Amino acid sequence: MGLLSAPWSLLPSGTFLTMLALFFSVFVLLYDFMKRRRSWDRYPPGPTSLPFLGNILQADFKNLPEYCARLRKKYGDVFSLQFCWDNVVVINGLESVKEGLITKSDDTSDRPNFPVMEKYTFKENCSGVVLARYGQSWRDVRRFSLSTLRDFGLGKKSLAERVTEEAGFLCSAFKSKNGRPFDPHLMINNAVSNVICSIIFGDRFEYDDKKFQKVLKLFDDIVHAGTDILLQLANVIPALVHVPGVASKFFRAQDNLIDFLSGIITQHKMSWDPNVKRDFIDAFFEEAEKAKGDPTSSFNEHNLLLTVSDLFSAGTETTSTTLRFGLLYMILYPDIQSRVQEEIDRVIGRERQPTMDDRANMPYTNAVIHEIQRYADILPLSAPHMSSRDTEVNGFFISKGTTLMFNLSSVLKDECIWAKPYQFYPENFLDAKGEFIKREAFIPFSAGRRVCLGEQLARMELFLFFTTFLQQFNFFIPRAQPRPSEETIQGTIRAPMPYQLCTEVR
């Protein structure tokens, strides 16, 4: 022992510490390289990353779509990023997005881990339906959810009538403002939420229900928390989740939402009758009863809570945000509002309520609704995917376990596809004869295995709410108020800046 230590004892203490620090630094850098190494052969190009941090400090989490747009110009449709030790590949452009989401859907439909959500999931088969890993559990719950939504009216006349009825309630709320300026945000949220609530809970909430208004406010807190850099870091450095205060705002809002939904489920359980299927929750109870004793089943009470949370959130925020953009564009572009109203008057009139059958005869209104979705672009990057096995996109190699970001914005605003990609221009969906045309690049609901579960419901709601609004009212900017901005609030969902409008009964 003495002989082995003797050479070191001859070195000055400062030199020894320097060599020890150098050795430690080399070891740590080598460890970092081994953690981040990847197949450099045909791996997508990307910006130079820092040891340990990768591109975390370079990325603009307040506006990731804009950051990705800049990188696309430099590196092409498929490029890579490094978030600490997580490999991320961003896929842009119609052809590459189609290949990734549709052609290679079996390879790219998994989800990465979300450490900030692990607080709400106890095991692998308790992840709801939106963020669940790609596997049998997810397939079972998604298949059940689609089937049950259809049982309770999805795609049927009965549900369309329910949406039309809710649109009527909302118009009455607008009318109660007597032409005074108001922000339609919470009222629209409430109305849209009532549609999915009627399916999931078998009930709706009045627009002056203070408790429900607080619940709707939680959505804004959760959505806006999505751009917080500490929250983003917590997803790539899981230890941060346990640091007090790092994700407290997110957890506080999410906890309150979970408590609200948990209370509704508990009330349902107390009054549940196996012989009566009132709503989605009852249908899930029935399925859970069949799976009793099977520890691998996804049909358990905790997963019911997460699935209901997913459906409730997705069925409220996206459609209501799109409708808010729609009314904003109508007050900013009154000539387009007038053309929609002319078509409504010609096809529907002002006495009877709009129906889904009217859509085929209203090309301009249909084009305007599609353009609202395209231009508003509320889910520019969709939810992150993860490769479940080695694959290729656009000739680039992507290894198993890579996080994938599909930039839907790069398709919805592609300069090579749309006549005026950065303007609100309904003619993007009209041919020379004024007839509506379907566009392959119109993918606001994403595509492939993870396409939006509620796409059919959202399309129905957008048409019936929007046509009912413009059938009954003229919308305009309040007098003495400046023109509202088209700037948006970036979050998990892109939303319009707060604005007020006035209504005038037609």
Side-chain angles (χ1 to χ4, degrees):
M1 189 72 176
L3 289 174
L4 290 174
S5 60
W8 297 106
S9 64
L10 299 176
L11 294 173
S13 59
T15 303
F16 172 72
L17 292 175
T18 300
M19 291 181 68
L20 186 64
L22 182 62
F23 173 79
F24 180 75
S25 299
V26 170
F27 173 78
V28 169
L29 288 171
L30 183 62
Y31 178 76
D32 176 62
F33 173 78
M34 295 298 291
K35 286 288 289 184
R36 294 197 293 155
R37 69 175 180 173
R38 51 209 179 185
S39 173
W40 294 101
D41 182 32
R42 295 185 295 113
Y43 190 77
T48 303
S49 61
L50 297 171
F52 307 109
L53 295 175
N55 303 114
I56 283 281
L57 298 181
Q58 304 164 27
D60 181 5
F61 288 107
K62 292 293 183 183
N63 196 343
L64 268 179
E66 177 59 30
Y67 175 67
C68 290
R70 294 197 303 269
L71 293 182
R72 182 193 182 193
K73 290 180 180 178
K74 184 173 182 179
Y75 297 106
D77 281 349
V78 181
F79 61 84
S80 63
L81 294 169
Q82 191 80 38
F83 292 160
C84 293
W85 290 329
D86 284 354
N87 293 328
V88 178
V89 170
V90 183
I91 300 174
N92 308 266
L94 178 60
E95 294 307 317
S96 295
V97 167
K98 277 171 49 185
E99 182 182 359
L101 286 176
I102 300 173
T103 308
K104 302 291 178 64
S105 60
D106 280 338
D107 303 345
T108 65
S109 295
D110 204 356
R111 293 283 195 219
N113 291 322
F114 295 93
V116 294
M117 292 302 296
E118 286 178 2
K119 174 182 179 181
Y120 306 102
T121 56
F122 298 150
K123 50 187 176 180
E124 188 176 345
N125 58 346
C126 287
S127 301
V129 68
V130 174
L131 299 181
R133 299 295 301 272
Y134 184 60
Q136 194 57 48
S137 173
W138 171 77
R139 290 188 191 93
D140 290 344
V141 175
R142 184 180 173 92
R143 189 182 303 116
F144 166 81
S145 298
L146 276 171
S147 174
T148 306
L149 289 174
R150 290 192 190 104
D151 288 345
F152 286 99
L154 186 62
K156 299 177 183 177
K157 188 176 180 181
S158 58
L159 184 56
E161 290 172 348
R162 201 179 308 172
V163 175
T164 301
E165 181 183 36
E166 192 63 49
F169 292 141
L170 182 54
C171 286
S172 295
F174 286 174
K175 201 174 295 183
S176 70
K177 298 298 180 181
N178 295 316
R180 298 188 303 272
F182 68 98
D183 183 339
H185 185 164
L186 284 181
M187 281 188 285
I188 291 177
N189 273 26
N190 201 327
V192 172
S193 184
N194 275 342
V195 176
I196 194 67
C197 285
S198 68
I199 298 173
I200 300 176
F201 312 141
D203 203 0
R204 64 181 295 277
F205 298 88
E206 297 296 335
Y207 299 148
D208 58 358
D209 186 320
K210 299 299 183 186
K211 182 179 179 181
F212 194 61
Q213 293 294 312
K214 290 180 181 177
V215 171
L216 294 175
K217 179 67 173 64
L218 295 175
F219 284 127
D220 287 338
D221 295 338
I222 293 170
V223 166
H224 296 324
T227 58
D228 191 298
I229 188 167
L230 286 176
L231 197 64
Q232 299 290 339
L233 281 170
N235 271 323
V236 294
I237 308 175
L240 289 177
V241 173
H242 306 292
V243 176
V246 168
S248 60
K249 181 180 178 182
F250 176 81
F251 285 146
R252 184 164 55 248
Q254 192 75 28
D255 285 346
N256 288 335
L257 179 60
I258 291 292
D259 287 345
F260 170 77
L261 297 175
S262 182
I264 290 178
I265 291 173
T266 300
Q267 290 174 359
H268 261 66
K269 193 172 184 180
M270 292 171 62
S271 60
W272 181 52
D273 180 349
N275 300 311
V276 180
K277 195 184 294 185
R278 298 166 294 183
D279 46 41
F280 183 93
I281 293 177
D282 281 357
F284 203 103
F285 280 153
E286 182 180 312
E287 206 66 23
E289 192 69 20
K290 295 177 189 174
K292 251 185 180 177
D294 180 2
T296 65
S297 172
S298 303
F299 295 96
N300 53 71
E301 195 164 322
H302 184 65
N303 208 33
L304 167 60
L305 177 60
L306 295 176
T307 303
V308 165
S309 176
D310 284 346
L311 294 176
F312 181 54
S313 303
T316 296
E317 195 63 31
T318 53
T319 302
S320 63
T321 299
T322 304
L323 285 171
R324 284 162 53 209
F325 271 116
L327 290 184
L328 173 64
Y329 298 149
M330 290 305 96
I331 63 175
L332 292 176
Y333 304 99
D335 55 328
I336 294 177
Q337 179 179 177
S338 296
R339 284 190 63 182
V340 172
Q341 290 171 326
E342 288 170 7
E343 188 172 68
I344 290 173
D345 291 348
R346 186 173 67 255
V347 176
I348 303 172
R350 299 194 188 182
E351 299 304 320
R352 75 169 176 87
Q353 296 173 319
T355 69
M356 290 306 296
D357 291 337
D358 294 319
R359 184 169 59 177
N361 301 315
M362 302 175 67
Y364 189 75
T365 301
N366 201 13
V368 168
I369 293 171
H370 278 68
E371 180 66 358
I372 291 168
Q373 291 180 270
R374 185 202 69 80
Y375 186 58
D377 187 18
I378 67 170
L379 287 169
L381 292 175
S382 190
H385 289 228
M386 187 175 75
S387 54
S388 54
R389 58 192 179 201
D390 291 351
T391 189
E392 289 186 8
V393 173
N394 200 12
F396 290 104
F397 175 79
I398 298 173
S399 61
K400 177 182 177 180
T402 300
T403 297
L404 304 171
M405 295 169 62
F406 288 94
N407 188 355
L408 303 185
S409 221
S410 71
V411 180
L412 292 173
K413 294 182 177 172
D414 193 319
E415 295 175 4
C416 298
I417 295 174
W418 307 99
K420 297 182 180 180
Y422 303 111
Q423 295 180 35
F424 184 69
Y425 187 65
E427 285 74 9
N428 278 317
F429 293 92
L430 296 171
D431 64 16
K433 296 180 181 179
E435 294 299 316
F436 179 79
I437 51 175
K438 292 183 179 180
R439 303 296 298 267
E440 186 182 20
F442 181 72
I443 54 169
F445 299 102
S446 192
R449 304 253 189 241
R450 291 281 186 170
V451 67
C452 176
L453 187 67
E455 177 179 353
Q456 193 174 1
L457 175 60
R459 288 179 181 274
M460 178 189 294
E461 288 180 300
L462 290 174
F463 180 78
L464 293 176
F465 273 113
F466 187 75
T467 53
T468 301
F469 292 164
L470 270 67
Q471 180 192 48
Q472 297 197 23
F473 299 102
N474 294 317
F475 295 91
F476 56 92
I477 299 170
R479 294 175 180 82
Q481 285 196 19
R483 177 185 170 90
S485 171
E486 290 188 52
E487 292 295 314
T488 58
I489 300 172
Q490 302 295 330
T492 306
I493 293 175
R494 180 182 278 159
M497 300 286 285
Y499 69 91
Q500 289 191 325
L501 51 72
C502 289
T503 62
E504 176 185 70
V505 177
R506 297 184 68 215

